[in-house]
Amino acid sequence: MGISSSAIITTKFLGPTNSRGARIKASCQAGSITVPWDHSLDSSLCHAKAVKALIEKLGLSWGNKFTVGSDNDGYYFIPCADWNTFYFED
């Protein structure tokens, strides 16, 4: 699973304009993609759908397990694998 330490995908909501509907832009160092907002999904799943589309477009082999965070700018998807996943114990 060739994941570099700088591997991260960011997503951002782009509001509708006079000529385009709402959409999500997913970006990483290797490239970006913009996908239409899917009104049948909730917000977090729309962002995840954009990430999946970017991974497929770029042919990335990062697997399907991600740590996800968010702030005012959007979501951050960081790929993780069982060998580098850390769990805190109580």
Side-chain angles (χ1 to χ4, degrees):
M1 173 190 302
I3 298 174
S4 77
S5 60
S6 63
I8 185 170
I9 297 175
T10 60
T11 61
K12 182 176 184 174
F13 173 76
L14 302 173
T17 65
N18 288 336
S19 60
R20 290 182 156 176
R23 54 216 186 279
I24 301 289
K25 182 173 185 174
S27 306
C28 67
Q29 287 181 343
S32 66
I33 193 169
T34 303
V35 298
W37 184 267
D38 186 339
H39 293 279
S40 69
L41 301 175
D42 70 16
S43 178
S44 61
L45 291 177
C46 280
H47 287 264
K49 184 176 180 179
V51 168
K52 184 175 180 182
L54 179 63
I55 289 170
E56 290 173 0
K57 173 187 173 185
L58 299 177
L60 301 174
S61 58
W62 291 353
N64 61 0
K65 192 184 266 190
F66 289 82
T67 298
V68 181
S70 66
D71 64 12
N72 291 335
D73 292 328
Y75 287 86
Y76 301 88
F77 292 77
I78 303 167
C80 59
D82 290 333
W83 57 266
N84 71 353
T85 303
F86 184 81
Y87 298 95
F88 290 99
E89 294 184 24
D90 292 332

